[in-house]
Amino acid sequence: MRPAVMGIVNVTPDSFSDGGRFLDPAAAVDHGRRLISEGADVVDVGGESTRPGAEPVAQEEELRRVLPVVEALAPEVRVSIDTTKPTVAEAAVGAGATLINDVSSSLWPVARDCGVGWVAMHMRGEPRTMQDAPRYTDVVREVLEFLVERAVAAREAGVGEVWIDPGIGFGKTLEHNLSLLRHLDRLVDTGYPVLVGTSRKSGLGALLARSDGVEEVPADDRLEGSLATATWAMLRGVAMVRAHDVLPTVQAARVVAG
Ligand code: HH2
């Protein structure tokens, strides 16, 4: 079986790579349907950007953005809700989501109470300030210990499905991100299914620019880097990759599965 692909639907005005394109719920639903037709196994719906420096969104506004999209897509595909707010997670599950994608790693009680899956992602700090000189002694060990501690707590509390995600770009320098990608096998060895998201992230902009003589290639020009890192992650045994460009990522997953 090929690794799974989680397609991204950002119902936001300010996401780093597609902000504003799918803020209208009808446009977001259309985009979600396109990702389904391209082979997405899960569609991840988010109403609050987590890009570095992003401002928080009020709960009512986040609900207004995501609920119609979750409701429309849930009969057609597995939907995850990308949120850090318990009320939004709960309402999205009520609308049909069956996975809580939680960059704050705090919502496992909601997953337990609702009887759905949960993604624990590692983030240092919060989006507004997380890229202010992040420091680790041993980034791989610290991220691994954090995730396992959260995953064990969630499992013991009764969450049946727990994913772990190293949180590429969340309070990490390029070197930290590369160390985590190099050592993904250590996350996979925990036995928890691993999710990784590198799609269009700024570290790729920097790596790709090294050969172009520009400072950072823009988010729209990071497809090859996204595919290279997704392929790398899948070859190391991650169970799911999070992607904006679903079709090429599914193709890469098919090739990896052989
Ligand atoms: N990355 C983003 C958002 N949510 N969730 C998980 N589990 N893993 C990730 O790596 C991850 C995530 C950032 O990407 P995107 O949704 O495109 O941007 P924004 O947060 O600006 O909406």
Side-chain angles (χ1 to χ4, degrees):
M1 211 178 66
R2 66 165 174 80
V5 175
M6 173 187 268
I8 302 168
V9 176
N10 286 321
V11 198
T12 59
D14 58 344
S15 287
F16 76 92
S17 79
D18 54 6
R21 287 184 58 198
F22 311 115
L23 184 56
D24 169 37
V29 171
D30 280 353
H31 186 59
R33 293 211 167 107
R34 177 175 161 192
L35 302 187
I36 296 167
S37 74
E38 292 180 350
D41 303 280
V42 177
V43 169
D44 190 38
V45 177
E48 177 175 52
S49 173
T50 53
R51 74 182 158 74
E55 290 296 331
V57 174
Q59 182 169 293
E60 297 67 37
E61 173 62 12
E62 195 177 333
L63 285 166
R64 200 190 57 75
R65 291 178 186 175
V66 298
L67 285 186
V69 182
V70 172
E71 208 165 60
L73 295 176
E76 299 169 37
V77 72
R78 182 170 200 197
V79 172
S80 67
I81 177 69
D82 187 353
T83 191
T84 58
K85 296 188 182 70
T87 308
V88 174
E90 243 174 66
V93 171
T98 60
L99 186 62
I100 299 175
N101 177 25
D102 174 16
V103 306
S104 73
S105 260
S106 64
L107 297 186
W108 53 266
V110 181
R112 175 200 55 205
D113 294 347
C114 297
V116 296
W118 179 60
V119 179
M121 197 202 77
H122 178 275
M123 169 165 62
R124 171 65 58 85
E126 51 166 10
R128 214 163 38 78
T129 53
M130 67 188 177
Q131 291 306 108
D132 298 348
R135 281 209 192 85
Y136 300 83
T137 310
D138 178 341
V139 67
V140 178
R141 186 173 52 75
E142 287 166 54
V143 168
L144 184 71
E145 283 177 2
F146 171 88
L147 291 174
V148 169
E149 186 245 311
R150 291 293 159 120
V152 167
R155 273 278 180 74
E156 283 176 356
V159 181
E161 179 189 0
V162 178
W163 292 75
I164 58 172
D165 180 332
I168 298 299
F170 285 84
K172 292 154 189 114
T173 64
L174 177 58
E175 288 312 317
H176 296 143
N177 291 323
L178 291 174
S179 292
L180 286 164
L181 288 173
R182 275 189 207 107
H183 296 287
L184 278 174
D185 51 329
R186 288 178 57 191
L187 265 65
V188 170
D189 286 347
T190 63
Y192 291 98
V194 177
L195 168 65
V196 174
T198 58
S199 186
R200 301 185 188 170
K201 285 192 176 165
S202 72
L204 296 173
L207 287 173
L208 293 166
R210 282 182 188 163
S211 51
D212 280 345
V214 290
E215 223 168 87
E216 241 198 35
V217 304
D220 278 350
D221 294 340
R222 297 175 189 164
L223 175 61
E224 296 84 351
S226 303
L227 289 175
T229 46
T231 303
W232 168 274
M234 292 188 281
L235 286 169
R236 300 240 137 20
V238 314
M240 182 150 70
V241 291
R242 189 175 177 276
H244 298 87
D245 302 288
V246 166
L247 183 61
T249 312
V250 168
Q251 294 292 51
R254 289 187 179 127
V255 172
V256 166

